[in-house]
Amino acid sequence: MARVLIVGAGLTGSLCAALLRREASSPLRLTVWDKAEDSGGRMTTASSPHNPQSTVDLGAQYITCTPHYAKIHQSFYDELLAGGILKPLTSPIDGMVIKEGDCNFVAPHGVSSISKHYLKQSGADICFRQRVTQINLRNNKWEVSRETGSSEQFDIIVLTMPAPQILQLQGDIANLISECQRQQLESVSYSSRYALGLFYEAGTKIDVPWAGRYITSNPCIRFISIDNKKRNIESSEIGPSLVIHTTVPFGVTYLEHSIEDVQELIFQQLENILPGLPQPVATKCQKWRHSQVTNAAANCLGQMTLHLQPFLVCGGDGFTQSNFDGCITSALCVLEALKNHI
């Protein structure tokens, strides 16, 4: 039975795992490693330490589907809507630009529920807090080393982490990337920002007429969402939760500052926008060094194959575009590249 390692439990990695399970002509042993503490990648959802039902989406806030992708990715949308993993966004988002024909969706159980759905379908062995450090060739297999734990051998590897993290990998992989591929990977660029989640006690009232709001006049804050309101979830037992996304210039300026300092700066600016907010019972500040892709790898068609025998392929939004459909496109391209090997 071929052992397949998928590095990254974000949307591309989790969907790759589900598609491989569905499409493989022979049995596969699927393993997913992620350096984070949970799945979702940049579509991550954080829970309050006081009440796990109180959650905030720290990454993607909602999913916009254009008429083009509504047609070509219809089966994916239909499945997620039928399973209650997505539902139409009906809450008011102040300042949102709506193009004709677009549909917007939210994830009632948090945006990371999409990745969790695909990982469950895949039946993969999933290990978190696993940071891959080296990939070496050993007897026509891949030997993969990680920061903690012993190295393991795999027949096939799918890398779905951001391009700069692929370039940081040590071992034989560094020499297997051609000069042309290295230049393509180096050309992938990302915006940087912070997200701050705030959790409040049950019964707290945040009296604003919107569920989300784009901010255009603040140097620090770009977007605010009252996350439970965004998902149309009102409960007397679960306190409201708020998420603040910073502007990209702020994220770049304070990228190497401490989380505590950044959180304090965001709070100061939040007071100007929503004065008199009550004290949260818990906070979660997330640094997104690699937030959204601003420049994808050219001429890659959704994936980059680094080695054929044994097989090693890279996927993710760095090879397409930084949204839900970009991740689906990449996962399908990875699957197509792998078809002759599974």
Side-chain angles (χ1 to χ4, degrees):
M1 193 187 293
R3 286 199 78 193
V4 180
L5 174 65
I6 296 169
V7 183
L11 179 56
T12 307
S14 56
L15 181 53
C16 277
L19 292 172
L20 284 170
R21 178 64 71 213
R22 285 182 210 173
E23 301 291 334
S25 55
S26 56
L28 296 174
R29 186 175 167 196
L30 293 172
T31 302
V32 178
W33 287 355
D34 197 290
K35 65 182 176 64
E37 295 183 1
D38 203 354
S39 58
R42 282 164 284 157
M43 297 178 81
T44 194
T45 305
S47 301
S48 166
H50 303 285
N51 184 346
Q53 290 178 289
S54 177
T55 61
V56 290
D57 291 328
L58 290 175
Q61 293 298 301
Y62 53 85
I63 287 164
T64 300
C65 177
T66 64
H68 170 70
Y69 284 114
K71 198 175 289 179
I72 64 170
H73 290 160
Q74 183 183 349
S75 63
F76 295 95
Y77 283 101
D78 286 352
E79 178 190 329
L80 295 172
L81 286 162
I85 292 151
L86 289 182
K87 67 177 185 181
L89 170 64
T90 56
S91 308
I93 307 292
D94 198 16
M96 182 166 79
V97 177
I98 301 172
K99 293 176 183 167
E100 191 180 345
D102 285 2
C103 295
N104 292 295
F105 301 101
V106 286
H109 306 291
V111 76
S112 69
S113 63
I114 303 169
S115 293
K116 287 178 167 58
H117 167 76
Y118 289 130
L119 288 170
K120 187 178 177 183
Q121 276 191 356
S122 76
D125 299 322
I126 307 156
C127 299
F128 297 113
R129 302 180 193 87
Q130 303 293 325
R131 186 187 292 271
V132 172
T133 54
Q134 282 197 40
I135 299 177
N136 288 296
L137 272 170
R138 293 280 186 275
N139 304 320
N140 212 34
K141 289 184 186 290
W142 296 112
E143 187 173 84
V144 185
S145 305
R146 46 197 165 165
E147 254 181 9
T148 54
S150 55
S151 60
E152 290 192 32
Q153 291 199 342
F154 298 91
D155 301 287
I156 294 169
I157 295 178
V158 180
L159 301 176
T160 68
M161 66 271 237
Q165 294 174 6
I166 295 171
L167 289 166
Q168 287 167 2
L169 291 170
Q170 305 290 308
D172 293 337
I173 186 173
N175 303 319
L176 297 173
I177 300 173
S178 72
E179 190 53 40
C180 174
Q181 288 172 329
R182 185 172 296 280
Q183 286 174 5
Q184 285 174 301
L185 289 169
E186 286 172 347
S187 75
V188 182
S189 57
Y190 298 79
S191 59
S192 300
R193 55 164 54 86
Y194 285 88
L196 175 61
L198 308 177
F199 303 97
Y200 293 92
E201 280 182 338
T204 304
K205 291 278 181 277
I206 299 172
D207 195 20
V208 292
W210 39 263
R213 186 180 197 182
Y214 284 93
I215 311 292
T216 55
S217 55
N218 190 281
C220 168
I221 296 173
R222 178 70 183 106
F223 182 78
I224 301 173
S225 169
I226 300 161
D227 244 32
N228 54 303
K229 199 171 173 180
K230 178 186 77 181
R231 302 183 205 142
N232 275 329
I233 298 168
E234 299 287 343
S235 167
S236 58
E237 292 161 30
I238 305 166
S241 52
L242 210 81
V243 67
I244 300 103
H245 278 207
T246 72
T247 64
V248 171
F250 177 91
V252 171
T253 302
Y254 293 98
L255 196 58
E256 306 306 338
H257 287 236
S258 74
I259 290 285
E260 294 75 21
D261 288 352
V262 168
Q263 187 165 301
E264 184 55 39
L265 290 168
I266 297 171
F267 269 124
Q268 288 169 13
Q269 294 296 329
L270 186 61
E271 179 63 24
N272 296 331
I273 298 166
L274 294 175
L277 267 182
Q279 276 292 109
V281 291
T283 64
K284 170 70 176 175
C285 193
Q286 173 75 46
K287 179 198 291 189
W288 293 116
R289 184 180 294 276
H290 305 114
S291 178
Q292 288 177 296
V293 174
T294 52
N295 187 59
N299 309 315
C300 279
L301 300 174
Q303 56 86 19
M304 180 185 284
T305 300
L306 298 185
H307 201 265
L308 285 169
Q309 204 65 40
F311 201 80
L312 194 157
V313 61
C314 308
D317 59 355
F319 303 95
T320 51
Q321 57 192 348
S322 213
N323 56 25
F324 181 76
D325 289 292
C327 293
I328 293 179
T329 299
S330 180
L332 290 168
C333 291
V334 167
L335 179 72
E336 191 58 38
L338 274 168
K339 273 203 166 152
N340 295 331
H341 302 266
I342 56 168

